[in-house]
Amino acid sequence: MPAQEAVISVDGAYFNPAGLTFLDEGLHIGGNWQAAFQKRYSTTTFAAFAMGARNGGKTEKEFVGNTAAPVIPSIDLAYVSGRWAFSGHVGVIGGGGSAEYNDGLGTFEGMIAAQAAQAIPLGITNYDADIYLKGTSFYVGTQINAAYKVTDYLSLALGLRNVIALNNYDGYLHDIKMNGAVAAADMDLDVMQSAMGFAPILGVDFKYGKWNVAARYEFAAKLNFKNDTKTNTTGMAAYDDKVESRNDFPSLLAIGVGYSLLPQLRLYGSYHLYGDKQANQEGREDLLGRNCMEGIAGIEYDVNDKLTLSTGVQYCTLDFGDNYAYINDMSFTTNSTSVGIGGKYQISDRVAVEAAYFTSFFDKVNQAATATLPWSTEYYRTSNVLSAGVKLAF
């Protein structure tokens, strides 16, 4: 059930810190495991691809990135005493896996194909190359919060998140040949990029009768990445050792509303606004048309005293600027609609177990060729997530 902003549970250590003051007094612990699987498809069309020894004369080629993150853990803690609630969260808040391209990317092969096309007057009729890329990204957030119930209906929270970000790129272009003869030296890349930043978090929760309204604002975390490069013979200076670059974790405004339509039936809605255009990304943020927005709705239904079922839908809308200038085949997403289903079983007053499934349907987008980029690319993704969790109360 993805609309979590107005839910009162230990998950609020991340989603709704202010709402934790409305939990029963004592210690609450939540552990969660997710397994995420994605495929990223970029289909590049370039006339010169017909010269590729492995392309069968075709000008269109699909490049597939397989992402598997079978273990994405997180933990939530909350201690409630009187009007106070203290909480913490540790988990992956971005990235979370590796994307492996066994045939490389259209951008990489496009550079070789373009060189072959320029050499046609010299008698070049075909090219070949062994191309590979694996990209890994993890953003780990460690968060602490304190909340105070100002009145019986109103609670305020203040928190701080530490973000540790790690990106790794490992790839190569080997055996580059023109007309079967070695044409250029191999190119290799192995670089780890790391950064750390902090983000204050403000929260508020108003609970009255059947209604609960909550909001939180996460400030942007300044992330200054520094390269630790083992190998870079690509000629791309951005990946040289010790080179630094900014790529901030954006701010987030999250608002949620919950309503108990019946004692056993609860409705939820959430809205997210990300500060992507205000985050420093070395100027790339200027290519965005506007900030990313998400609308989310969800339902929880208590089948009986033990079993709760839930479902929800999330719509994410973005604007990547003219001709989708912000995205490229190394990093892209598109507008998406996601659906989740889940269930919770209350084993006892102190122990509950949960399980869920979440899938996303992404729009296909086409990036046309330009004067500086002579090939066009269609982008598409798939995503499926399984999860299981346990909640303990003492």
Side-chain angles (χ1 to χ4, degrees):
M1 204 288 291
Q4 291 286 325
E5 275 64 34
V7 174
I8 305 297
S9 78
V10 69
D11 298 328
Y14 176 82
F15 291 102
N16 181 18
L20 294 173
T21 60
F22 297 104
L23 279 177
D24 294 337
E25 289 201 358
L27 177 64
H28 301 261
I29 302 173
N32 187 64
W33 159 84
Q34 295 183 57
F37 304 92
Q38 294 187 358
K39 282 185 177 292
R40 306 181 188 189
Y41 302 88
S42 56
T43 303
T44 301
T45 301
F46 185 29
F49 277 177
M51 301 174 65
R54 309 182 191 191
N55 297 343
K58 296 180 180 179
T59 61
E60 180 182 283
K61 187 170 183 178
E62 182 181 71
F63 300 87
V64 181
N66 294 290
T67 301
V71 181
I72 307 176
S74 65
I75 187 167
D76 297 294
L77 300 171
Y79 179 73
V80 183
S81 178
R83 291 186 173 271
W84 287 93
F86 301 95
S87 60
H89 169 87
V90 179
V92 177
I93 59 174
S98 298
E100 188 171 22
Y101 293 85
N102 291 317
D103 294 320
L105 291 169
T107 299
F108 297 166
E109 184 166 341
M111 293 187 295
I112 300 170
Q115 293 174 3
Q118 292 172 359
I120 288 176
L122 302 178
I124 297 300
T125 59
N126 63 79
Y127 69 87
D128 194 13
D130 184 13
I131 309 173
Y132 172 82
L133 177 67
K134 183 178 182 180
T136 304
S137 179
F138 282 95
Y139 286 64
V140 179
T142 302
Q143 178 178 334
I144 56 172
N145 317 283
Y148 182 72
K149 189 186 293 183
V150 180
T151 72
D152 290 342
Y153 312 111
L154 179 66
S155 180
L156 302 177
L158 176 65
L160 181 67
R161 176 183 296 146
N162 169 242
V163 180
I164 297 176
L166 299 171
N167 298 321
N168 177 254
Y169 299 101
D170 184 8
Y172 57 77
L173 282 78
H174 288 174
D175 300 323
I176 303 172
K177 298 176 182 178
M178 301 289 175
N179 285 4
V182 175
D186 293 344
M187 290 186 281
D188 292 86
L189 177 65
D190 186 357
V191 56
M192 174 68 77
Q193 300 174 327
S194 59
M196 184 174 71
F198 294 89
I201 300 171
L202 305 177
V204 59
D205 190 289
F206 181 78
K207 183 174 174 60
Y208 184 79
K210 297 181 178 181
W211 290 92
N212 191 55
V213 181
R216 77 180 189 276
Y217 183 77
E218 303 177 1
F219 289 81
K222 176 183 175 181
L223 295 178
N224 192 50
F225 286 85
K226 185 175 181 179
N227 292 349
D228 180 6
T229 305
K230 295 181 179 179
T231 306
N232 180 22
T233 58
T234 66
M236 294 183 286
Y239 295 114
D240 286 346
D241 192 37
K242 295 184 172 54
V243 169
E244 299 184 5
S245 60
R246 282 284 293 277
N247 192 5
D248 294 349
F249 199 82
S251 63
L252 169 63
L253 172 64
I255 301 171
V257 178
Y259 179 71
S260 295
L261 186 64
L262 298 170
Q264 71 273 27
L265 180 63
R266 295 169 295 282
L267 309 179
Y268 297 98
S270 297
Y271 170 77
H272 295 166
L273 176 64
Y274 295 88
D276 301 294
K277 281 187 67 65
Q278 292 73 45
N280 188 331
Q281 301 178 52
E282 300 283 351
R284 292 187 66 241
E285 67 276 10
D286 296 333
L287 299 174
L288 291 167
R290 58 166 169 77
N291 289 324
C292 171
M293 295 183 289
E294 292 176 335
I296 314 170
I299 301 173
E300 285 183 341
Y301 178 71
D302 298 328
V303 179
N304 51 45
D305 292 341
K306 295 288 187 180
L307 179 63
T308 298
L309 300 179
S310 66
T311 186
V313 61
Q314 174 177 305
Y315 178 66
C316 175
T317 174
L318 314 105
D319 184 345
F320 291 125
D322 295 339
N323 196 30
Y324 303 97
Y326 181 81
I327 66 176
N328 56 63
D329 51 8
M330 288 189 68
S331 177
F332 69 89
T333 189
T334 64
N335 291 353
S336 63
T337 300
S338 303
V339 179
I341 56 172
K344 179 178 72 172
Y345 188 78
Q346 196 74 39
I347 296 176
S348 69
D349 291 341
R350 297 181 182 273
V351 182
V353 292
E354 301 174 331
Y357 171 69
F358 192 74
T359 186
S360 298
F361 305 91
F362 292 86
D363 292 351
K364 288 184 179 180
V365 301
N366 289 282
Q367 191 176 55
T370 65
T372 56
L373 194 69
W375 53 79
S376 62
T377 304
E378 179 186 78
Y379 298 98
Y380 178 63
R381 294 175 63 158
T382 63
S383 178
N384 294 278
V385 182
L386 296 169
S387 71
V390 61
K391 286 185 169 64
L392 307 174
F394 301 95

